[in-house]
Amino acid sequence: MGDPKEAGAEASPPGAAARGGLSLLSQAESEEPSAQGSALFLGGNEVKSRAVVKYSSAPPRTAFARLEEKTDLKLPPANWLRESAKLGPAGTTILGNSKKSKPFSSFGMAYDFIDSVGNDVDVVSDSENIKKLLKIPYSKSHVSMAVHRIGRTLLLDELDIQELFMRSSQTGDWTWLKEFYQRLIDQKWQRKKKSKEHWYQKAILSKFLYYSINGDGAAQPVPSPAEQQESSSSDQTHDSEGASWPAPFEMPSSVSEDPSASSQDREPLEPSCIVGHVASAPKEQNLTTLFNDGENSQGLKNDFVRNILWTFEDIHMLVGSNMPIFGGGRYPAVSLRLRDNNKPINVLTGIDYWLDNLICNVPELVMCFHVNGIVQKYEMIKTEEIPNLENSNFSTKVIKDIAQNILSFLKSNCTKEGHTYWLFKASGSDIVKLYDLTTLCEETEDKYQNPFTMPVAILLYKVACNMMMKKNQNKKHYGTIRTLLLNCVKLLDKSRHPQIIASANYMLSELFQLDEPKKEESSDSPLNENSDESYSEEEEEMPDSDENGSYSTSSDPADDNKAVAIIKSVGELSVPEKYKSIHQIRPSCAFPVCHDTEERCRLVLSYVLEGLKSVDSSIKKESDLPAADPSTPIPLKYEDESTRGGPEGLEKQMALFLDKMGSLQKGNCSGQSGMTPGSWQHKMKLQLILKSSKAYYILSDAAMSLQKYGRALRYIKLALQSHDTYCCLCTNMLSEVLLFLSQYLTLCGDIQLMLAQNANNRAAHLEEFNYQTKEDQEILHSLHRESSCQGFAWATDLSTDLESQLSVSCKCYEAANEILQFSDLKSQNPEHYVQVLKRMGNIRNEIGVFYMNQAAALQSERVVSKSVSAAEQQLWKKSFSCFEKGIHNFESIDDATNAALLLCNTGRLMRVCAQAHCGAEDEFKREFSPEEGLYYSKAVDYYLKALRSLGTRDMHPVVWDSVNWELSTTYFTMATLQQDYAPLSRKAQEQIEKEVSEAMMKSLKHCDIDSATARQPLCQYRAATIHHRLASMYHSCLRNQVGDEHLRKQHRVLADLHYSKAAKLFQLLKDAPCELLRVQLERVAFAEFQMTSQNSNVGKLKTLSGALDIMVKTEHAFQLIRKELVEECDQPKSDEATPAADSLPNLNREEVIKLLSIFESRLSFLLLQSIKLLSSSKRKMSNTEEDTVLQTNKQIYSQLLRATANRNSTLLERIEVVICLLEQLASGSSSSSGSAVP
């Protein structure tokens, strides 16, 4: 018929209020979605019932034909047993009997309404099974049902034990259950034959229904006896096949669709599960449908005319029903029943009629009474009146209690998903027993003999798939999904069902989101909200207990050692809330919390490995492959470093890699195992391999953060090997996968760089790199079935050569960048692109510095006066090229700070080149060469570019100060070399002095002595040195110049100024006493030089007095030297071998002795000259102040002569004498007014 699916929209039917408040199915000419739930008031007992039709294949409802009185139902109508849409399956089963349900009918419904299973619905079953359960306390007949649990849903199916055993005698299946049944339950069983009366009643009912759809109500001609016989035999055939049992399940894809299946062209309610849609799998990579309609031929098809979501009190049930429903006239819906007028309706029949109408939401029942097949009368009975019929009185409240108690009992004991439970009550017995058939089956040789295994596994899988697809809420159900999938895998035979097992393992791996940052575990975490939604098959079963002792597991030892639970008496089921106390039966099972990244990734890889094993085992071409033992490591091909050719070999491998990437874009790839592109094996293996590469990438990143670089390289190698295999299999490379590869190569570059920088721990890194777990070996074995996995070998080798490691790191970043250029990834992932370029700039800086240091090392080893070698020049070129490329990388992403640092390093390279040309000349004929000047000028240019790149100091103070210092150093070095090795052969003295002065002043300009930074003492020392050198230069000019008096005067002023500034700056430093002493001695020499040009004694005396004041100011330097010498003497003798920790690093005893000797001689000279001049002036006139000075100078001079004459004095003693003399000199000069020169 192909009627559309009905959504279950709610609508209140007309006339509902008039029918006593029970809202029933509202249908006029067509079957509409039913709806409004209602309360039915009967005898003060309130029963809530609500039915929603989820699907109906019934035709538009028509009125039934009211048969005339005296119609003989023994005569068959003309249309008898012909297929009729109006009757549905009632027209094709034995004489209208629709009670015989198929053994897997609940699974067919569950497949179609997968959204309801596991979560919203408590029970899925045929309406006949529901009725049979609710009639247990009233009936003596046997009950045999299979019960399965999926999440919180129970699936109930009739388990016709006698039919089962009849089949087992032919096929050999279920023999274990037959033996168990005979041993424990029924020693002698035989199939009871149905009486002639039974078949007579069935025939009468069937003919009645066919008459009721005729239209005119008249009996048609009776078929010939031959036709009757044919019909009868056909009926019996239908009966025997109606509940036929399928053989134990094989792979669904291998089962062909039965052409004789139901003729209703019913469309499946929901699309079959597609694995590729789960979790984070790309939508473009959908896997093939796992389950086609093959399961329909195994009895798993939903053959019910209508599927109804029935809520009975607080119990939600998905029920299948084939009851014919008629309409027309003033009755929106009625059900037809045929009764023998001589037999009163009993309680069982009343419950049957009432439940049927309640489930299908039918408000009225039309009863046709007959006597010996002759129609007598019709009677209309409202549904709510059925419980009060004569001889059929029953309490709806009791039925409600029975339903709640049975559900609680089953949910309390059917706790293991994937297990088949058997609910059994023997005929005439009051005891109901529940057995776990799966546990009993596992004790046999073949645990896959249970025919329910496959349908249960498929349903577990489909429910899990459905939950995974609900991305907006699937996270809180992860515990449930994991339990469903683990139970699914546990049920299946790996050799028979590789596709489902592979897919289930892939979904298990997808539950662990590797690309999400790890969050702190908390009580409100969504992964821990599963206590009411999930449970684990690994949990110990909760002990069944009840305060009322309602059921027990220890009554009759012969039975109870096998039974899971027992209801001692069916009467207990009528007691309200008898089993209510144990309704909450689900033990808490949250999604497993992985406390670290490695544990999470290892779980993922374990599922991936199982999936790969399933895929590999299903590939036919496996026999053509060389056998490999997964427990033995796969030999790796090592190449000698010399044959690889270092960086040049890398270039070739990179070119091959990029060619391969280009071919991937065109889709020219194939694996070695012979998988057909597009097959489920091909698509599933692609997904699993991609998942493994992600897991290894995360592991590598975690190891990197722990500074386990050998382990990190091993994991990124496995990630790249996985990706290489993916490339070999993939026919259309997705941009997302290319981005993954770019990220892998970026991390690989990071690891190689860190290995290069941590070469001192190389042995430990090598040990970590070579270690392999068995799991990794097995995954690698699966990868080698498709690819050689050597595509990225150039990037993942652990080299012992520093240059090679740096080159590999650089090539990794370059490859990552090239991949971003293949498609529009650069613009789609700007953050990653910036990171790659930053790393490229950084590694090029590292390589540039490496080559620069190599060049400097060659230079230091070179013999003096030897010219620059070609090797040095080659290293300069390599270094310069790296710096230039790195600068371009940083400038392209507007990273001014790092660009400035590389410009600074380029400046340093220019200085190395200049120093190389400096060492290439003879020391005695040394002159500042043009090449030196050229390279130093280039260095200055690069430093100035670096400053311009930074803009202002505020942008990055540390880098700005560093560049400024390097620039100051370059100017200072240029000036110093020009001053010390003046190029007099090329330039005039005056020009050289001018250039030196300009360079020194520029150096001084970039030397920040005011900022309180760590470099401030260095800046102060540099500035003091510059002033000292300039003063010395002007002093020298003054000595050597003749003629221009104005220029001489200018030089004199400049020399005095710079000496004064140098002395002030050196006095600020605590570790430069010798420099301060030298400056002061030069100032004294400068005063002595000035004195030689003076003629008057007064002028000379004034100059001498100034020189002596300078000598007094040297006391600070001598105090520092004395302090250091005292500390050296105080050091314990045991520490004499090691220098004092607080000693001045620049204190040179020889230099101190030399300067002390000069100081003593100059002081002696000045005192002597002062005495002479004061004595001569004394003869001319008497002056008290001069007398005092004269006497003081004489005393000091006398002491100095005695001290210098004593050759046995130690250095410390000599310094102490000098300090003492200077103190006397200072007190003497201060007592005399006006003798000091400021």
Side-chain angles (χ1 to χ4, degrees), residues 82-110:
R82 294 181 183 175
E83 185 175 336
S84 169
K86 294 179 183 179
L87 294 180
T92 56
T93 54
I94 172 62
L95 304 179
N97 173 28
S98 63
K99 290 186 178 182
K100 203 69 172 176
S101 61
K102 292 188 178 180
F104 298 108
S105 60
S106 69
F107 288 89
M109 282 190 286

Side-chain angles (χ1 to χ4, degrees), residues 1031-1055:
S1032 298
M1033 186 181 73
Y1034 291 128
H1035 186 179
S1036 176
C1037 292
L1038 196 60
R1039 283 177 181 276
N1040 299 328
Q1041 269 183 350
V1042 181
D1044 191 349
E1045 189 59 34
H1046 174 72
L1047 191 59
R1048 286 174 61 82
K1049 184 178 180 181
Q1050 187 179 355
H1051 285 169
R1052 187 183 299 113
V1053 171
L1054 287 171

Side-chain angles (χ1 to χ4, degrees), residues 831-845:
E831 290 183 7
H832 178 61
Y833 177 65
V834 167
Q835 287 301 316
V836 171
L837 283 183
K838 273 191 175 183
R839 284 168 163 79
M840 281 175 67
N842 178 58
I843 191 63
R844 283 167 171 165
N845 177 54

Side-chain angles (χ1 to χ4, degrees), residues 929-967:
S929 65
E931 290 82 1
E932 286 179 85
L934 175 66
Y935 282 117
Y936 277 122
S937 297
K938 285 184 177 180
V940 167
D941 290 341
Y942 282 113
Y943 289 129
L944 290 173
K945 280 183 185 177
L947 289 177
R948 284 196 296 273
S949 174
L950 289 170
T952 61
R953 185 177 186 272
D954 296 337
M955 184 174 178
H956 204 298
V958 176
V959 177
W960 176 275
D961 291 344
S962 178
V963 175
N964 241 345
W965 172 254
E966 294 296 334
L967 181 56

Side-chain angles (χ1 to χ4, degrees), residues 699-700 703-718 750-752 754-756 758 761-772 796-798 805:
L699 281 171
S700 179
M704 179 79 170
S705 62
L706 295 173
Q707 299 182 354
K708 302 289 186 182
Y709 304 123
R711 187 194 306 173
L713 186 62
R714 167 164 56 90
Y715 284 138
I716 202 65
K717 180 174 184 176
L718 287 164
D750 292 345
I751 296 165
Q752 291 284 11
M754 296 313 297
L755 284 167
N758 292 271
N761 204 17
R762 195 182 300 278
H765 295 322
L766 186 62
E767 184 179 352
E768 286 180 341
F769 176 70
N770 289 328
Y771 174 78
Q772 263 193 341
T796 54
D797 283 345
L798 181 54
Q805 284 179 320

Side-chain angles (χ1 to χ4, degrees), residues 1167-1191:
L1167 288 171
L1168 181 59
Q1169 293 299 318
S1170 173
I1171 292 167
K1172 286 181 180 179
L1173 288 173
L1174 286 171
S1175 298
S1176 63
S1177 64
K1178 185 182 176 185
R1179 296 191 190 100
K1180 296 179 181 179
M1181 62 176 68
S1182 177
N1183 189 319
T1184 308
E1185 291 179 1
E1186 288 186 355
D1187 288 346
T1188 306
V1189 172
L1190 180 60
Q1191 291 303 319

Side-chain angles (χ1 to χ4, degrees), residues 690-962:
L690 188 61
K691 192 71 179 179
S692 71
S693 72
K694 289 182 189 176
Y696 282 127
Y697 168 72
I698 301 295
L699 281 171
S700 179
D701 192 44
M704 179 79 170
S705 62
L706 295 173
Q707 299 182 354
K708 302 289 186 182
Y709 304 123
R711 187 194 306 173
L713 186 62
R714 167 164 56 90
Y715 284 138
I716 202 65
K717 180 174 184 176
L718 287 164
L720 287 169
Q721 285 176 322
S722 299
H723 207 286
D724 187 37
T725 307
Y726 184 92
C727 294
C728 288
L729 293 175
C730 189
T731 54
N732 184 21
M733 187 67 72
L734 296 170
S735 59
E736 181 187 3
V737 179
L738 284 174
L739 178 62
F740 289 153
L741 180 55
S742 179
Q743 291 170 343
Y744 299 168
L745 287 168
T746 303
L747 180 59
C748 187
D750 292 345
I751 296 165
Q752 291 284 11
L753 176 58
M754 296 313 297
L755 284 167
Q757 293 176 349
N758 292 271
N760 55 345
N761 204 17
R762 195 182 300 278
H765 295 322
L766 186 62
E767 184 179 352
E768 286 180 341
F769 176 70
N770 289 328
Y771 174 78
Q772 263 193 341
T773 65
K774 184 179 179 182
E775 193 174 70
D776 294 339
Q777 291 170 9
E778 290 180 343
I779 290 175
L780 200 55
H781 170 64
S782 179
L783 298 179
H784 274 275
R785 290 170 56 88
E786 312 300 335
S787 161
S788 64
C789 300
Q790 295 298 310
F792 299 97
W794 57 270
T796 54
D797 283 345
L798 181 54
S799 174
T800 56
D801 178 46
L802 180 59
E803 180 183 359
S804 176
Q805 284 179 320
L806 291 173
S807 298
V808 167
S809 178
C810 185
K811 294 302 174 189
C812 285
Y813 295 138
E814 288 175 1
N817 184 45
E818 287 291 337
I819 289 166
L820 293 176
Q821 313 298 328
F822 277 127
S823 54
D824 200 24
L825 287 173
K826 185 168 72 173
S827 57
Q828 293 173 4
N829 304 275
E831 290 183 7
H832 178 61
Y833 177 65
V834 167
Q835 287 301 316
V836 171
L837 283 183
K838 273 191 175 183
R839 284 168 163 79
M840 281 175 67
N842 178 58
I843 191 63
R844 283 167 171 165
N845 177 54
E846 293 283 341
I847 297 173
V849 169
F850 171 77
Y851 287 136
M852 180 169 64
N853 291 339
Q854 276 198 324
L858 278 180
Q859 177 188 322
S860 64
E861 294 168 3
R862 192 178 64 208
V863 179
V864 177
S865 79
K866 192 176 179 183
S867 62
V868 178
S869 66
E872 280 182 81
Q873 292 179 341
Q874 192 65 30
L875 289 170
W876 294 345
K877 288 177 183 178
K878 286 182 178 180
S879 179
F880 181 75
S881 174
C882 289
F883 287 140
E884 203 170 36
K885 289 176 182 176
I887 292 166
H888 175 70
N889 291 143
F890 286 125
E891 286 178 346
S892 64
I893 55 173
D894 299 324
D895 190 344
T897 305
N898 281 317
L901 285 171
L902 263 73
L903 285 164
C904 190
N905 277 341
T906 312
R908 185 177 155 213
L909 174 65
M910 296 299 108
R911 285 162 58 194
V912 169
C913 297
Q915 289 165 10
H917 286 90
C918 157
E921 297 181 19
D922 191 352
E923 188 67 24
F924 297 106
K925 300 176 183 178
R926 173 90 169 86
E927 276 192 2
F928 185 72
S929 65
E931 290 82 1
E932 286 179 85
L934 175 66
Y935 282 117
Y936 277 122
S937 297
K938 285 184 177 180
V940 167
D941 290 341
Y942 282 113
Y943 289 129
L944 290 173
K945 280 183 185 177
L947 289 177
R948 284 196 296 273
S949 174
L950 289 170
T952 61
R953 185 177 186 272
D954 296 337
M955 184 174 178
H956 204 298
V958 176
V959 177
W960 176 275
D961 291 344
S962 178

Side-chain angles (χ1 to χ4, degrees), residues 8-77:
E10 300 190 1
S12 181
R19 291 192 299 272
L22 180 62
S23 178
L24 301 173
L25 186 62
S26 168
Q27 290 175 322
E29 296 304 314
S30 63
E31 181 122 349
E32 296 291 337
S34 76
Q36 284 279 53
S38 62
L40 178 63
F41 297 96
L42 294 169
N45 293 332
E46 181 182 319
V47 176
K48 296 176 184 175
S49 174
R50 177 176 179 270
V52 177
V53 176
K54 301 290 283 185
Y55 172 86
S56 174
S57 62
R61 193 173 300 154
T62 58
F64 66 92
R66 194 180 184 99
L67 304 183
E68 294 179 2
E69 233 177 284
K70 307 299 181 183
T71 300
D72 189 356
L73 296 178
K74 294 190 291 295
L75 299 176

